[in-house]
C-alpha cells in the first residue's frame, strides 16, 4: 500500500453531504430546517438554541454539517466536554455567540456531547451557557445521547428539542449495501445483516465494522464477519446490555441484547434484579418487571435442573422485552446502574450460612433434632440468650459447653461477642472442665467399628424379626 | 457441684433412660418389655413435635446397650440427608459395623421419616427387609399418614399424645427450681399455652426468658417475640405502604444478617400475613396468601431466592398502593 496515500476512514468518506442523504430522520430534518431558515432570514427564533438527542451514530452531527453547507453557515465545532468550566464556556461559546462572521455569513455553534458538561462538579459551565443562550446572535446547536439527566432540566426549557430516532436494521443494511457497491466490494447479504444486527442501530459502528472486515480481506462474507465481530460482540458490557433492555425501541432489540450478552444468565439476572428500581418507579411497572424476572428465573431453573434447554428462549423473552415493556405507566428514571448488592454480599452471605450450618451440625446431634430445627427453632433462642442475658457468664458457660468458635459466638451475640468470649476464656482458665465421657466415646467409636471384623450371620440365631409377624 | 460449662436445658434435662420418662406411661411400659426380652420389631413413633419420640428412642437404646449406646445406633434425619442414595450407603456401612455384645441387632433411627417422598420410602422398605437380620429401624414421624402402608405394616406402631398441661408445667417448675430461677407461676402456664404441648419448645422458652431475669408472663411474650426477626413484619408493612425499595432493603438484611433462606422468609411472611399485627382487610390476606403460594412454588422449583422475594415485595407494594392499605 502506498504510504503517502492518506486513507480516509469510511465514516468520513461516506458521511452524508446533503440533508437528503441523512437516513430516516425526517421529523428532525423538518424541525431543524424551519428553525435554521428563520435564522438565515434574519429573524431570530424564540428559542435560540437547539438540542439534538438520540442514540449514538444516527446522524446528529452529520445533519448539522449538511445543514450548514446547505444554508451557507460557518460551522464552529466545540467539543463541550473539553470546555466545562464557566470560564472556558465564556471564552469559547460566549465569544462565538456574539461574533459576526466574515462576509456576512452566519455562524452555527455546535456543542457536541453536552451531557458531558452537565456533571455536578461543573454546574458553573452549564449556568454560563444558560446565560448566553437567550442573548446569542448565532444559532447554538447541542447534541446529547441522554437529554433527560436532571442537571439538564433548566436547559431543556430554553431550547428546541429535536429527537433523532434509532435506525432500524434494514436502514443500516441499506447504507452498508450502498457502500459495498461504491467500494466495488463483494458483500454477502447475510454478513451485512449480522453487522447491522450487532450495531444496534448505530450506523457509525456498523460502517466501522464493515471497513474493518473489508480492509483485511477484500471481501465481506458471513464467516469473516462472524470471526471478526465476535470480539466486538463480547465487548458489549453489562451496562450496555442494560441500556439496550431498558431503552429498547422494539422487542427484538431487547431480546437480542440479552441473548448476545457475554454474562451468564444468573449474573445478568442479578444485575436486572437490582437495577429495575433504578429505572422504574411506578408500582405497576415495578410489579410487571419483577413478575417477568421471577418467571424467567423459574424457567431457567427448569431448564437447568430438568435439562429442558429449549426453555431458555423464554428466559430471554422475559428478561429482555419482558422488562422493557413492563413500563407502561411511569417515565424512566435516570439513576446510574448499580452493581448488584447480591453479588457484593454473596461472600458475607456464604459466611453466615456456613456459620449457621456448623452450629446446626454441632447442636443437632446433642439436642437430637434435625439441623433445620436447630436453624429455625434453636438458634433464635440462643441468640436471645446471648444478646439479652442479664448476666453474661451464662452464655459464656454455654460457649464452653458447646465448644463454640469465635465466629459462632459473633453470630449469636452480635456486639456482646467480645465480652462473652473474654468471660469464657477467664472461666476456662480458673476452673478445670471435666470432659463428658459419653461424647468422647462416641467420637472414638466409628474408627473402632471400621476395624472390627465382620460378624457371621450364624451368631445371631434365635431371635429374628419374624417372631413379631407370625 | 458446679462445673465451668453449661448446656442447654433441653439437653441437660432430657431423660436418659426409660425410667426417667414420666409421661407416656403406656408406651414406656411396652418399650421396657423390648429391653427385657432383648428383642424388638421395627418401630414407628408418631405424634406431634416435642412429645418425646426421639427421646424415647434414645432412652430405649440406652437401656438396651448401656451408657455408650450411640455406637450401636445410626442416627439419621430424613430432612438433613441428601436423598435415599445417601441413606442407603450409610445403612450399608453401618450394618457391617461391630455388633453389640449381648443384643443381636443394632438400631437405625430415622427421624422425620414423613419428610421422605413415597418413592424414597419404597426404597427404604427394601432396606428394612435387606438388613432385618442385623438391624432394627425406629422411624419417627409427625404425621403417620404420610408413611406408606407397606412400611406401617412392618412396624409396631406407637402413638405419642400431646403432653398434658400438668405434666409440662410440673416439668418446667422442676427445672426452674433446680436452676434457681425466679418465676411467676402463671408464666409457666403461659409457656405451656404458647408451646402447645411441645416440651422442647416450652423448655427453650423458659430458658430464654430466664436469661432476661425473673420469668413473668411479660418476659415470656417478649422472648417469643424476640425469637422472630422483627424485620419480617416491618418488611411486610413497608411493602404494603407502597415502598418497594425500603421493603427490599429489609429483605437483604434478613438474608444477610439472619442468614435466612428464601423459603424461611416466605414461610414467615405467610405466618405474619394472618396475624393481628398486620391490619389489612380479611379478604386481602387470602389474596396475598395465594400469591405467596405461587412464589413459594417457584422457589421450590429451584429459582433464585432474591428474585422471587423481590417479585413478591413488588406485588405487595402494588396491591398496597392500589388499595390504600398500610398494613
Amino acid at each position: 500500500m502506498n504510504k503517502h496515500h492518506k486513507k480516509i476512514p469510511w465514516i468520513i468518506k461516506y458521511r452524508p453531504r446533503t440533508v437528503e442523504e441523512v437516513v430516516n430522520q425526517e421529523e428532525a430534518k423538518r424541525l431543524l430546517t424551519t428553525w435554521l431558515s428563520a435564522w438565515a432570514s434574519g429573524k431570530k427564533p424564540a428559542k435560540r438554541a437547539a438540542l439534538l438527542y438520540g442514540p449514538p451514530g444516527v446522524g446528529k452531527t452529520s445533519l448539522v454539517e449538511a445543514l450548514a453547507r446547505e444554508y451557507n453557515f460557518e460551522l464552529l465545532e466545540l467539543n463541550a466536554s473539553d470546555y466545562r468550566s464557566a470560564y472556558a464556556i465564556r471564552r469559547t461559546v460566549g465569544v462565538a455567540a456574539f461574533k459576526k462572521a466574515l462576509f456576512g455569513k452566519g455562524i452555527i455553534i455546535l456543542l457536541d456531547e453536552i451531557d458531558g458538561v452537565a456533571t455536578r462538579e461543573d454546574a458553573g459551565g452549564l449556568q454560563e451557557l444558560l446565560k448566553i443562550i437567550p442573548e446569542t446572535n448565532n444559532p447554538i446547536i447541542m447534541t446529547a445521547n441522554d437529554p433527560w439527566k436532571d442537571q439538564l432540566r433548566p436547559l431543556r426549557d430554553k431550547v428546541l428539542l429535536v429527537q433523532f430516532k434509532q435506525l432500524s436494521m434494514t436502514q443500516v443494511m441499506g447504507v452498508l449495501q450502498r457502500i459495498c457497491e461504491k467500494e466495488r466490494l463483494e458483500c454477502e447479504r447475510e454478513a451485512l445483516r449480522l453487522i447491522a444486527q450487532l450495531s444496534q442501530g448505530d450506523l457509525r459502528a456498523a460502517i466501522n465494522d464493515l471497513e474493518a472486515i473489508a480492509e483485511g480481506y477484500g471481501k465481506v462474507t458471513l464467516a469473516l464477519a462472524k470471526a471478526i465481530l465476535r470480539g466486538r460482540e463480547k465487548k458489549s458490557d453489562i451496562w450496555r446490555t442494560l441500556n439496550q433492555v431498558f431503552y429498547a425501541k422494539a422487542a427484538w432489540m431487547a431480546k437480542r441484547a440479552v441473548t448476545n450478552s457475554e454474562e451468564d444468565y444468573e449474573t445478568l439476572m442479578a444485575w436486572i434484579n437490582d437495577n429495575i428500581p433504578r429505572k422504574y418507579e411506578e408500582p405497576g411497572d415495578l410489579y410487571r418487571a419483577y413478575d417477568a424476572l421471577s418467571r424467567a428465573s423459574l424457567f431457567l431453573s427448569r431448564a437447568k435442573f430438568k435439562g429442558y434447554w429449549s426453555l431458555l428462549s423464554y428466559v430471554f423473552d422475559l428478561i429482555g422485552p419482558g422488562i422493557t415493556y413492563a413500563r407502561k405507566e411511569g417515565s424512566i428514571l435516570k439513576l446510574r446502574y448499580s452493581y448488584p448488592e447480591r453479588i457484593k454480599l454473596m461472600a458475607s452471605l456464604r459466611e453466615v450460612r456456613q456459620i449457621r450450618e456448623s452450629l446446626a451440625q454441632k447442636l443437632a446431634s446433642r439436642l437430637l433434632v434435625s439441623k433445620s430445627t436447630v436453624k429455625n427453632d434453636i438458634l433464635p433462642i440462643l441468640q436471645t440468650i446471648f444478646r439479652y442475658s442479664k448476666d453474661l457468664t451464662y452464655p459464656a458457660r454455654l460457649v464452653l459447653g458447646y465448644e463454640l468458635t469465635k465466629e459462632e459466638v459473633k453470630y449469636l451475640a452480635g456486639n456482646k461477642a467480645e465480652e462473652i468470649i473474654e468471660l469464657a476464656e477467664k472461666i476456662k482458665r480458673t476452673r478445670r472442665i471435666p470432659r463428658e465421657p459419653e461424647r468422647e466415646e462416641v467420637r472414638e467409636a466409628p474408627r473402632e467399628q471400621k476395624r472390627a471384623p465382620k460378624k457371621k450371620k450364624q451368631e445371631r440365631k434365635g431371635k429374628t424379626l419374624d417372631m413379631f409377624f407370625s | 457441684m458446679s462445673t465451668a460449662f453449661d448446656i442447654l436445658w433441653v439437653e441437660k434435662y432430657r431423660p436418659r433412660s426409660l425410667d426417667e420418662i414420666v409421661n407416656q406411661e403406656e408406651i414406656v411400659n411396652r418399650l421396657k418389655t423390648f429391653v427385657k426380652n432383648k428383642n424388638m420389631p421395627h418401630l414407628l413413633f408418631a405424634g406431634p413435635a416435642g412429645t418425646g419420640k426421639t427421646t424415647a428412642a434414645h432412652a430405649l437404646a440406652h437401656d438396651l446397650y448401656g451408657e455408650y449406646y450411640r455406637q450401636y445406633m445410626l442416627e439419621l434425619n430424613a430432612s438433613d440427608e441428601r436423598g435415599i442414595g445417601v441413606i442407603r450407603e450409610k445403612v450399608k456401612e453401618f450394618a457391617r459395623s461391630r455388633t453389640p455384645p449381648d443384643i443381636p441387632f443394632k438400631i437405625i433411627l430415622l427421624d422425620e421419616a414423613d419428610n421422605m417422598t413415597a418413592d424414597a420410602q419404597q426404597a427404604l422398605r427394601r432396606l428394612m427387609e435387606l438388613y432385618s437380620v442385623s438391624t432394627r429401624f425406629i422411624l419417627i414421624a409427625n404425621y403417620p399418614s404420610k408413611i406408606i402402608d407397606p412400611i406401617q405394616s412392618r412396624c409396631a406402631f406407637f402413638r405419642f399424645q400431646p403432653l398434658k398441661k400438668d405434666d409440662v408445667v410440673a416439668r418446667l417448675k422442676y427445672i426452674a427450681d433446680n436452676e434457681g430461677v425466679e418465676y411467676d407461676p402463671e408464666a409457666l402456664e403461659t409457656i405451656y399455652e404458647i408451646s402447645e404441648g411441645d416440651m422442647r419448645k416450652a423448655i427453650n422458652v423458659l430458658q430464654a426468658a430466664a436469661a432476661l431475669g425473673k420469668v413473668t408472663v411479660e418476659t415470656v411474650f417478649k422472648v417469643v417475640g424476640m425469637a422472630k426477626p422483627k424485620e419480617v413484619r416491618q418488611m411486610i408493612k413497608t411493602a404494603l405502604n407502597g415502598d418497594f425499595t425500603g421493603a427490599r432493603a429489609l429483605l437483604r438484611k434478613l438474608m444477610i444478617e439472619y442468614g435466612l433462606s428464601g423459603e424461611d422468609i416466605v414461610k414467615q411472611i405467610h405466618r405474619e400475613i394472618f396475624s393481628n399485627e398486620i391490619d389489612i382487610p380479611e379478604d386481602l390476606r387470602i389474596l396475598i396468601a395465594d400469591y405467596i403460594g405461587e412464589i413459594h412454588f417457584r422457589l421450590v422449583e429451584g429459582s433464585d431466592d432474591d428474585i422471587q422475594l423481590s417479585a413478591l415485595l413488588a406485588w405487595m407494594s402494588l396491591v398496597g398502593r392500589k388499595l390504600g392499605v398500610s398494613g
Side-chain angles (χ1 to χ4, degrees), chain A residues 115-133:
Chain A
D115 24 7
V117 176
T119 58
R120 208 155 282 154
E121 316 84 80
D122 304 316
L126 194 66
Q127 287 306 318
E128 194 58 36
L129 200 53
L130 286 170
K131 272 189 240 162
I132 296 170
I133 290 174

Side-chain angles (χ1 to χ4, degrees), chain A residues 273-274 291 294 297 301-302 342 349 365-366 370-371 390 394 397 402 431 449 460 463 469, chain B residues 2-3 6 8 11 14 37 70-71 77 80 104 207 211 248 252 291 298 301 304 306 308:
Chain A
N273 182 23
D274 266 57
D291 197 51
S294 152
S297 173
S301 70
R302 284 180 186 164
R342 175 68 181 273
L349 189 68
S365 72
R366 297 278 298 268
S370 70
K371 286 193 276 186
K390 271 189 169 170
Y394 185 61
R397 289 156 64 88
Y402 290 104
R431 300 200 213 185
Q449 284 167 12
R460 282 176 233 102
K463 289 165 183 169
F469 302 99
Chain B
S2 94
T3 50
D6 260 306
L8 285 172
E11 185 182 356
R14 187 190 319 112
N37 298 337
R70 276 180 113 164
Q71 56 185 310
N77 195 301
D80 290 342
Q207 182 164 19
R248 198 163 68 157
R252 255 72 198 260
Y291 198 72
R298 292 177 191 180
E301 286 276 299
D304 184 83
D306 201 14
Q308 296 309 338

Side-chain angles (χ1 to χ4, degrees), chain A residues 195 209-221 224-225 228-229:
Chain A
I195 297 172
D209 286 345
L210 182 72
E211 188 179 19
I213 300 166
E215 194 178 40
Y217 302 90
K219 59 181 176 181
V220 181
T221 65
L224 281 172
I228 289 171
L229 299 183

Side-chain angles (χ1 to χ4, degrees), chain B residues 58-124:
Chain B
H58 277 261
L60 171 65
H62 172 273
D63 290 359
L64 276 168
Y65 306 121
E67 200 182 345
Y68 307 134
Y69 69 93
R70 276 180 113 164
Q71 56 185 310
Y72 302 117
M73 181 159 80
L74 175 65
E75 296 164 57
L76 299 169
N77 195 301
S79 52
D80 290 342
E81 303 299 333
R82 269 182 236 148
I84 188 72
V86 180
I87 292 179
R88 187 183 293 121
E89 282 311 304
K90 286 189 176 174
V91 168
K92 213 162 113 187
E93 179 79 10
F94 175 72
R96 257 194 240 133
S97 70
R98 192 172 55 161
T99 23
D102 55 348
I103 310 279
F105 59 86
K106 291 169 287 187
I107 291 176
I108 295 167
L109 177 64
L110 183 56
D111 215 332
E112 303 191 17
D114 45 351
N115 277 349
M116 295 172 87
T117 62
D119 283 348
Q121 289 189 35
Q122 286 294 350
L124 176 68

Side-chain angles (χ1 to χ4, degrees), chain A residues 80-232:
Chain A
S81 41
D82 295 342
Y83 305 95
R84 284 140 81 109
S85 68
Y87 174 71
I89 293 280
R90 205 176 310 138
R91 271 198 46 205
T92 54
V93 186
V95 169
F98 304 105
K99 222 163 123 179
K100 285 247 163 62
L102 295 169
F103 317 116
K105 249 184 165 183
I107 302 174
I108 295 177
I109 302 165
L110 175 60
L111 296 171
D112 247 341
E113 298 173 34
I114 194 71
D115 24 7
V117 176
T119 58
R120 208 155 282 154
E121 316 84 80
D122 304 316
L126 194 66
Q127 287 306 318
E128 194 58 36
L129 200 53
L130 286 170
K131 272 189 240 162
I132 296 170
I133 290 174
E135 309 293 339
T136 181
N137 288 328
N138 294 314
I140 298 178
I141 300 181
M142 295 163 280
T143 70
N145 290 333
D146 178 7
W148 305 114
K149 276 188 175 175
D150 257 350
Q151 298 94 316
L152 287 178
R153 188 182 300 150
L155 189 66
R156 286 202 295 270
D157 300 331
K158 289 207 156 80
V159 300
L160 173 75
L161 282 170
V162 182
Q163 189 191 0
F164 277 67
K165 283 189 282 178
Q166 173 128 27
L167 300 182
S168 75
M169 214 169 87
T170 336
Q171 286 157 343
V172 174
M173 272 181 76
V175 174
L176 296 180
Q177 188 73 48
R178 272 202 298 284
I179 294 176
C180 285
E181 282 157 19
K182 285 192 181 148
E183 292 287 324
R184 293 160 198 265
L185 268 174
E186 187 191 319
C187 294
E188 282 178 17
R189 210 172 155 68
E190 282 312 302
L192 299 187
R193 186 188 303 282
L194 180 70
I195 297 172
Q197 225 177 52
L198 292 177
S199 75
Q200 323 261 341
D202 182 339
L203 187 55
R204 189 164 37 210
I207 296 176
N208 274 333
D209 286 345
L210 182 72
E211 188 179 19
I213 300 166
E215 194 178 40
Y217 302 90
K219 59 181 176 181
V220 181
T221 65
L222 181 60
L224 281 172
K226 271 187 182 163
I228 289 171
L229 299 183
R230 186 170 304 126
R232 220 180 82 77

Side-chain angles (χ1 to χ4, degrees), chain A residues 328-339:
Chain A
K328 291 192 199 298
E329 297 161 42
S331 56
I332 197 151
L333 293 177
K334 302 304 159 198
L335 295 171
R336 287 169 77 80
Y337 295 118
S338 72
Y339 196 81

